[in-house]
Amino acid sequence: MRAMHPLIIDCVHRLDQYLETKAINGDELDVKRAMGNLTMDVIASCAFGTQIDTHNDHKTHEFITNTQAIFQGNWRIWLIFPLMTLFPKLVEKMKLSMMSSSVQKFFKSAISSMIARRRADPKSGQYKDYLQLMINAQNRSADNSEDQDIDDLNEHIFGKTDALKDQKLGNVVISDDDMLASSFLFLVAGYETTASLLSFLTYELAINEKCQQRLYEEINAFDGNYSYESIARMPYLEACIAETLRHYPPLPAIGRICTEEYKHDNTGLTIPKGMGVNYDVHSLHHESEYYPNPEDWNPERFLPENRDHLVPYTYMPFGLGPRNCVGMRFALMEAKTAVAHLICKYRFIRTVNTRHPPTFKKFDFILNTDDRKIGVELR
Ligand code: HEM
C-alpha cells in the first residue's frame, strides 16, 4: 500500500492538469467521468504496471476502450447475471460470460504480455506495484520490510479487512492464471466503486460550501505534506468519505447464500439452506432510527466525538465479515490522497446544471446517476 502511494500521486497529478484546464477555461466538470478517469489510471498503473492518461486518451487507448466495454451496460449482463444467480452450474458448464470474447481475449493477452515483459526486465526489482508484488509472491522473493502498515484504517467505522487478517501465503502456489485473475478483479471491483465514491464526495462538497471550507482548512494545515502517514490523520476528511459511503453506497446491495437453515425470530420466516439472500445496504444506511435526517449529507456523524452514536452492523459500504471487500484500505487511501491534493488547489462549486438531489439510474449495478455536473475554480 505504502509503496503504491507514489503511483497514485502521479495519477492525481494528471487529474490535476485536467482540472486546471477546466478551471481556466471556465468549463463545467462531469465529475463522474473525471473521477472514473482517475481510478482507471490508478488501476492501470498499480495492477497492470502500465501508465496511461485516460483524461486525454479515452477514445483511442485499447486498455481504456476494452475496460469501457465491460462496464457499459450491455445485453450480456442482463441476460447472464440472472442466469448466474439462478443456475450457476449451468452457466459454468456452458462457459457463458458477461464479457464478449474479444474483450476477454484482449485482457488475457495484455496481462500475459505485461507479466512476461516484467519478468524479462532486469530492473523489475524497482517496481512497487501490485503486479510486481504478485511476481515476488510467486517467486517467494517478497521484501516485506515495507508491509508493516501504520494504523491507517479506522476500524471503528469501516470494520476489519477480515479476509486478509490471518492469512499467510504458506504453501500456496500462485499460478500465472491467478495473477491474471487478480489483476482483472482489481479492475472490475475497484474502478467504478472508487470513482463513485470520489464523484459523489466532490459533488456533495460543491453543494455544501461550509463542509468544503472546513475540509480545506483541515487539509491546508498540513501545508502540502500529504504523505501516506498524513492522509491517515485527517478526521474530517475521513468523516466526509464515511458519510459519502453511507449516503451513496456504491454497491447498494450485497448477497450471500444461506449455508444452514435459519429461522428469523421476529418475523417467523425461515430461510432454507442454499437460498440466495440479498441485503439492501442502501435502505439500512437511510434508516432514520440509526441515522437521523438520513437524506442530509452530514459528515459530523462520523467525527470521533459522535462515533458512539453509531450502531454496530448498521454501516456496511464494504460489506462485513470474512467476505468483505479486500480492496477497502486501497480505496480509502486512493480517495484520501486524491481529495487532499485537489481540495487545496480547487474549489468545487454548484452551477445552474448541478441537479440536487440527483436522480438515480434504475438498471445499474453500481449506484449511478446520468451525469453529475459541477463547476471548478482555482483557489
Ligand atoms: C469505494 C470503493 C469500494 C467499495 C464501496 C467496495 C465495496 C465492496 C463490497 C460491498 C463488496 C462485497 C462485500 C461483501 O459481500 O460483504 C466488495 C467485495 C470485493 N471488493 Fe470492493 N469495494 C471498493 C473498492 C475495491 C477495490 C479498489 C478493490 C481492489 C483493489 C476491491 C476488491 C474487492 C474484491 C476482490 C471483493 C470480493 C471479496 C470476496 O468475495 O472475498 N474493492 N467490495
Side-chain angles (χ1 to χ4, degrees), residues 327-343:
M328 167 164 74
R329 276 195 138 88
F330 186 88
L332 293 172
M333 188 262 280
E334 179 180 350
K336 288 177 183 175
T337 306
V339 177
H341 278 82
L342 299 178
I343 209 76

Side-chain angles (χ1 to χ4, degrees), residues 185-186 189-190 193 250-251 254 256 317-320 323-327 331:
L185 195 55
F186 202 133
T193 45
L251 288 176
I254 52 179
R256 290 288 186 273
F318 293 102
L320 283 177
R323 293 304 295 263
N324 71 347
C325 175
V326 289

